Amino acid sequence: VKIRLFIVLTIAALIVLGCAAPSGAPQPPAQAPAAAVTRGGTLRVGLNSDLTTMDPHMSTAAVDRQVYQSIYNPLVRLDKDLTLKPELAEKWDFTDPTTLVFTLRKGVKFHDGTDFNAAAVKFNFDRMMNPDNKSPRASEISSVKEVTVVDDSTIKLTLKAPNASLLAVLSDRAGMIISPAAITKFGKDLARNPVGTGPFKFVEWVTGDHLSTVKFDQYWEKGTDNQSLPYLDGVTYKPVTDASQRLTSVKTGTLDLIDQIASKDYAGLKGSKDPIMSEVAALEWQGLEVNNAKPPFDKVGARQALNYALDRDSIAKDVLFGTVTPGQGPISPSSWAFDASINTYKRDVTKSKDLLTKAGLTAPVKFDCMIVNSPDGLLLGQAIKEQLTAGGFDMNIVQLDFPTALAKYNAKDYTCFQIGWSGRPDPDANFYQFMHSTGSQNTYNYANPKVDELLDKARATYDQAQRKDLYTQATKLVNDDGGIGAWLYWPTNIKVWSPKVNNFLHVPDGMMRTKLLWLTKAAQ
Amino acid sequence: MTRYISKRLIAMIPVLFLVSVIVFTLIRLIPGDPAIAMLGEEATPQMIASLRAEFGLDQPIPVQYAIWLGRVLRGDLGNSTRAHQPVTQAITERLPATIELTLLSLLISLTIAIPIGIISATQRNSKMDLLSTTLALMGVSMPNFFLALLLSFVFSLNLRLLPNIGYVPITQNLRENLIDMIMPAITLSAATLAIVARLTRSSLLEVLNLEYIRTARAKGLAERAIIIRHALKNAMIPVVTIVGLQVGALLGGAVITESIFVLPGVGKLAVDAIFSRDFPIIQGVVLFFSVVFLGVNLIVDVLYAFLDPRIHFG
């Protein structure tokens, strides 16, 4: 009966599909470059996860930051090439290595009508720095000792020690300024009642369904038509956790712009005109990370062998369908500090086996590795296992859900874990906390005084060229030690949108900035 | 009757109590800490500890349970740990979508299943019977996530007739609401439709062989009157029982259907809560589903009395 049913089903499905697919249907003509911007329309954005809080001082989920792009403005803005541009701060100056002075923009208003000024900025910093508030931002701005109001539009940050990464931090949540009146009024409920200076005002948030915003009429920035931004009437965000459904939505016109796709869909979207796919090297890195205190990886030879056994090119091409760049460091190709010479390991399974023998280990060298139990995660885990087998290892895949694996990892109760870091614009935030012996995220028990010295120096140097050189040296040292285990690849950030969406600025941080977007008139 | 109903209501209390104990304990056995699930990769040990304290997770489980139960008895289901919202509000906000989805699927399955059941029973072994049996088998066998993807592939991606996701509240725009609901309701109704059709068929066949039907036929009543007025009413008793039980299955199915079609219902709320280890929401939703299930079955038992006057409740 089962077989018959299967045949019936298959035939039925084939008939239905055969009738349905409009294959070879003519593509709409490519959109001519628009001479002028058109205003109006509501943009529908598909997010990859549910939102958690609208309070940037309390958020720990990347998805929240997408909505903040509409509701808030940071002090400084991150550009495509990861340089920093003025936003709420018109200019800034390190008057000495531990004093940062911001000149703030005048005439900016919060959505509730209160004025944006130096007192508001100080109020925000004090809120993040107050230990009672337990703000996740506190550690990001821990280098700040004191914030002083100089005058209504000047604010001074006094630092405990020179910190070259601070400015980039202020382009994200720590630099987004919330209305002090709203903080006082709502307290913890600010999570669902955000009030910022951004181009769009918050309207409503139906958890798990949508969050809607509407154009803020008194927004400070002007568009190319010399009228106030934004061009759009509103932006609605919808969490669609299933990647296939998200893509179908933008193909069928239910959504206009989506974040992230499944890697299997990448090839099919390349070169497509409807929808349009945009890709840019992200800030993120992924690795096969090991605990330097647990056998077999307490031996440097085993960690080096791991690096030789891996075939990063095959992982990028065959497992992840070209949606990543193979790589061996914490600084991705999107950064000004990127240096391709850090890729020192080439696959060599004989060398891998030799190193294991020299380290006093007998092949196959057994170890457990935690792999997050998602379909993509397991596929990657299987490929790694096979590659390592050829190099003299016997990796046992331990499938765990993400929170469980993360808990073990944080407690340093693991041998090996395939995980990564979402990345930050400044290299310091992608490197120091992981590889410095005192780093808060150094779950590897890795310590190399020379690396510590280089990282400390890079943090205290404001010269970009010097910093780049220091990071390159540090990365090479860590790679020689196999300090993290093995860095694997740098993901590509992918966005897909309908052809009616114009003017998308694809910054490597993957944030969807909405103030400059506009919709083609006919499509509204 | 009133006495019977109040007796049944009282009997629900220990059941609900047991459900609450089981859920409370079981979700705490799932590995994964809500604080870590929430804070993600950015978490520092201090942040995790303070968040655990905020959620009361640093207390022993029996103490946590006692605190929670005390609040529930006062009508407070607690606060969602992920979305900063009271659990009761989260559930009531999402009830309309789930109620509509469940009722629509029940409506679709019954209006199709009962006629199919009658036709196959009265025309046993005919081509019609064979067709309905095949369809019923397909309905039971096809997992609803597969049916959902198939429908969405055909009607959204290829034919562009229906939206693959989306939800407009019924109060806002009835037409758009129904357009959004068609595929989810069909998906969810398939299994129930099949089961009810099969059961109507077999139950009716059994009744049609009984002596009173022969008597009715001997009296010269029209076949139509025999089936509709005499046979069907009696044949419906097992069907009603199954429909009652199917409400449970529909609520369970709603969990998957809502997730695939991104409907903001209670089922999707539960799935999201499990992934983010949002304990208060999981507890609240399971308790809520239990109350609904027990309530529906009580209604079903009361309905027996109307279908068969010989059944009395004391």
Side-chain angles (χ1 to χ4, degrees):
Chain A
V1 175
K2 261 189 183 162
I3 293 171
R4 231 168 56 197
L5 182 69
F6 176 72
I7 295 170
V8 169
L9 260 178
T10 315
I11 293 171
L14 285 177
I15 292 169
V16 171
L17 299 185
C19 302
S23 54
Q27 292 285 331
Q31 192 190 313
V37 162
T38 49
R39 290 182 167 260
T42 297
L43 180 82
R44 297 155 305 166
V45 178
L47 303 172
N48 66 327
S49 156
D50 270 342
L51 297 161
T52 73
T53 171
M54 285 302 108
D55 182 347
H57 293 171
M58 299 311 292
S59 166
T60 55
V63 65
D64 295 341
R65 295 162 61 202
Q66 298 288 3
V67 183
Y68 300 165
Q69 306 302 321
S70 289
I71 298 175
Y72 299 100
N73 286 123
L75 286 172
V76 292
R77 173 174 73 83
L78 192 68
D79 210 347
K80 266 180 139 165
D81 58 356
L82 300 189
T83 55
L84 298 167
K85 297 278 159 64
E87 185 91 351
L88 282 180
E90 268 180 335
K91 55 179 197 220
W92 56 89
D93 186 25
F94 276 97
T95 52
D96 66 66
T98 54
T99 311
L100 174 58
V101 178
F102 284 107
T103 308
L104 304 175
R105 199 171 292 280
K106 293 188 185 92
V108 175
K109 285 215 181 291
F110 288 104
H111 301 154
D112 60 3
T114 43
D115 288 323
F116 164 79
N117 52 26
V121 175
K122 181 175 163 57
F123 192 92
N124 274 258
F125 270 92
D126 289 349
R127 181 176 185 240
M128 290 184 272
M129 286 155 71
N130 182 350
D132 295 342
N133 292 334
K134 294 167 189 145
S135 164
R137 302 289 84 75
S139 62
E140 295 172 10
I141 53 165
S142 60
S143 60
V144 178
K145 189 164 79 185
E146 202 186 2
V147 178
T148 337
V149 175
V150 179
D151 60 46
D152 204 42
S153 59
T154 315
I155 191 125
K156 188 173 81 178
L157 268 58
T158 312
L159 312 187
K160 293 169 189 160
N163 190 320
S165 74
L166 178 65
L167 212 49
V169 164
L170 300 182
S171 72
D172 193 4
R173 289 168 291 193
M176 289 176 178
I177 308 300
I178 310 168
S179 157
I183 291 175
T184 315
K185 182 176 163 195
F186 294 114
K188 277 199 161 184
D189 290 337
L190 190 88
R192 300 189 74 93
N193 298 281
V195 181
T197 56
F200 296 93
K201 287 190 295 186
F202 171 77
V203 177
E204 64 163 354
W205 174 15
V206 179
T207 320
D209 186 50
H210 72 274
L211 185 147
S212 55
T213 65
V214 66
K215 174 182 180 164
F216 175 42
D217 290 327
Q218 298 171 61
Y219 187 64
W220 56 272
E221 218 172 345
K222 295 234 185 301
T224 48
D225 53 2
N226 216 24
Q227 293 175 47
S228 273
L229 285 176
Y231 300 122
L232 297 165
D233 289 337
V235 181
T236 301
Y237 294 91
K238 193 169 180 66
V240 182
T241 38
D242 184 82
S244 309
Q245 283 288 35
R246 221 163 41 241
L247 184 59
T248 306
S249 303
V250 82
K251 280 183 176 166
T252 57
T254 326
L255 295 171
D256 305 314
L257 166 65
I258 58 162
D259 191 19
Q260 296 183 21
I261 57 162
S263 26
K264 65 174 172 55
D265 293 323
Y266 175 76
L269 284 167
K270 224 173 157 87
S272 152
K273 289 202 174 72
D274 182 8
I276 294 165
M277 176 175 73
S278 169
E279 44 181 321
V280 67
L283 306 171
E284 181 184 350
W285 52 261
Q286 288 287 329
L288 188 67
E289 306 184 6
V290 303
N291 189 339
N292 287 219
K294 291 222 170 161
F297 299 114
D298 52 342
K299 295 194 167 66
V300 65
R303 300 197 298 267
Q304 288 167 339
L306 196 68
N307 277 284
Y308 281 113
L310 285 165
D311 185 348
R312 294 172 172 88
D313 292 336
S314 158
I315 289 174
K317 202 169 97 240
D318 306 326
V319 185
L320 296 159
F321 304 100
T323 57
V324 305
T325 311
Q328 306 172 22
I331 296 167
S332 89
S334 62
S335 174
W336 47 263
F338 174 71
D339 186 334
S341 74
I342 54 162
N343 292 322
T344 42
Y345 288 105
K346 292 260 171 321
R347 189 175 202 219
D348 187 340
V349 289
T350 327
K351 204 157 183 180
S352 165
K353 284 180 190 156
D354 284 353
L355 280 163
L356 288 176
T357 318
K358 273 186 204 148
L361 298 161
T362 19
V365 176
K366 285 190 179 181
F367 70 95
D368 285 344
C369 195
M370 302 192 290
I371 302 287
V372 174
N373 58 1
S374 67
D376 280 353
L378 288 175
L379 214 59
L380 178 60
Q382 294 288 353
I384 291 173
K385 181 188 166 81
E386 245 174 75
Q387 295 176 0
L388 294 185
T389 304
F393 288 97
D394 179 6
M395 180 175 109
N396 175 37
I397 295 178
V398 182
Q399 293 184 34
L400 289 172
D401 69 321
F402 189 62
T404 312
L406 201 60
K408 284 173 162 290
Y409 174 74
N410 286 339
K412 302 186 183 181
D413 174 24
Y414 77 105
T415 304
C416 162
F417 184 21
Q418 196 288 300
I419 189 190
W421 169 243
S422 55
R424 295 291 178 271
D426 192 88
D428 180 87
N430 303 325
F431 209 157
Y432 193 101
Q433 56 183 329
F434 301 98
M435 290 291 115
H436 195 281
S437 59
T438 63
S440 59
Q441 303 278 331
N442 186 339
T443 47
Y444 322 101
N445 291 303
Y446 175 66
N448 181 337
K450 288 206 76 173
V451 171
D452 284 3
E453 198 189 311
L454 289 166
L455 292 179
D456 283 330
K457 213 168 151 191
R459 180 176 272 193
T461 309
Y462 289 102
D463 183 90
Q464 237 175 45
Q466 277 181 43
R467 290 185 75 202
K468 178 177 174 176
D469 178 53
L470 293 166
Y471 286 126
T472 304
Q473 289 181 48
T475 308
K476 284 178 176 166
L477 283 178
V478 176
N479 274 339
D480 288 347
D481 292 339
I484 198 154
W487 274 296
L488 295 172
Y489 58 84
W490 300 297
T492 306
N493 188 272
I494 292 169
K495 299 283 180 279
V496 178
W497 60 75
S498 131
K500 69 182 184 185
V501 176
N502 300 280
N503 219 13
F504 187 87
L505 181 75
H506 202 164
V507 180
D509 68 353
M511 291 298 122
M512 297 183 270
R513 290 161 172 83
T514 50
K515 67 181 180 190
L516 296 172
L517 293 178
W518 55 276
L519 293 171
T520 304
K521 198 81 182 176
Q524 282 173 23
Chain B
M1 179 66 91
T2 324
R3 250 187 71 196
Y4 171 75
I5 294 176
S6 42
K7 247 165 74 183
R8 284 285 300 267
L9 285 176
I10 292 168
M12 276 163 76
I13 295 171
V15 176
L16 287 176
F17 176 75
L18 264 176
V19 167
S20 75
V21 174
I22 293 170
V23 175
F24 201 91
T25 329
L26 275 184
I27 54 176
R28 275 161 183 76
L29 291 178
I30 325 176
D33 188 310
I36 294 174
M38 234 194 108
L39 293 172
E41 58 176 24
E42 298 177 10
T44 62
Q46 292 83 348
M47 278 157 64
I48 294 170
S50 74
L51 202 64
R52 285 182 59 85
E54 197 185 317
F55 298 158
L57 293 169
D58 50 348
Q59 309 273 352
I61 290 179
V63 176
Q64 286 182 39
Y65 180 75
I67 294 172
W68 178 75
L69 191 66
R71 287 199 189 131
V72 170
L73 292 176
R74 278 172 277 147
D76 173 13
L77 288 171
N79 278 309
S80 155
T81 53
R82 184 172 164 92
H84 306 90
Q85 188 185 30
V87 174
T88 24
Q89 192 195 337
I91 294 178
T92 44
E93 214 175 73
R94 281 145 173 269
L95 258 183
T98 304
I99 292 177
E100 195 193 341
L101 177 65
T102 319
L103 289 182
L104 268 181
S105 347
L106 207 57
L107 189 75
I108 294 176
S109 34
L110 293 185
T111 45
I112 299 177
I114 293 177
I116 285 186
I118 296 172
I119 292 167
S120 4
T122 49
Q123 306 172 20
R124 190 149 54 124
N125 297 332
S126 68
K127 275 186 185 150
M128 190 61 209
D129 185 21
L130 190 71
L131 184 72
S132 68
T133 311
T134 316
L135 281 176
L137 252 173
M138 268 173 72
V140 181
S141 324
M142 193 177 316
N144 62 5
F145 70 86
F146 180 67
L147 182 59
L149 292 177
L150 201 66
L151 287 175
S152 149
F153 183 73
V154 174
F155 293 100
S156 298
L157 198 58
N158 285 304
L159 297 177
R160 308 264 163 125
L161 285 175
L162 296 166
N164 65 317
I165 56 162
Y167 173 72
V168 175
I170 197 162
T171 46
Q172 204 175 311
N173 187 330
L174 179 67
R175 196 177 152 266
E176 278 185 34
N177 169 276
L178 288 177
I179 289 175
D180 285 339
M181 278 292 180
I182 293 175
M183 285 200 293
I186 291 176
T187 303
L188 191 54
S189 65
T192 306
L193 191 157
I195 291 170
V196 173
R198 296 296 297 155
L199 198 74
T200 308
R201 177 183 183 270
S202 60
S203 175
L204 194 59
L205 277 177
E206 208 174 292
V207 172
L208 284 175
N209 284 329
L210 292 179
E211 285 179 0
Y212 80 94
I213 297 292
R214 210 187 318 158
T215 314
R217 283 205 177 108
K219 263 182 12 184
L221 278 181
E223 190 64 18
R224 197 183 169 81
I226 294 171
I227 288 165
I228 307 265
R229 291 206 16 225
H230 297 271
L232 197 58
K233 201 174 169 191
N234 278 318
M236 276 297 107
I237 290 179
V239 176
V240 169
T241 313
I242 287 295
V243 169
L245 290 171
Q246 279 296 309
V247 170
L250 285 178
L251 287 175
V255 170
I256 294 162
T257 312
E258 287 173 7
S259 296
I260 294 182
F261 291 105
V262 201
L263 285 179
V266 185
K268 182 163 182 295
L269 180 69
V271 174
D272 295 341
I274 290 167
F275 281 116
S276 55
R277 302 289 189 273
D278 197 336
F279 290 172
I281 293 271
I282 305 175
Q283 284 153 203
V285 171
V286 173
L287 204 62
F288 171 76
F289 274 2
S290 316
V291 171
V292 172
F293 190 66
L294 291 174
V296 167
N297 279 284
L298 175 59
I299 294 170
V300 166
D301 288 351
V302 172
L303 272 182
Y304 289 161
F306 291 97
L307 286 172
D308 187 345
R310 286 171 305 178
I311 296 174
H312 286 290
F313 299 110

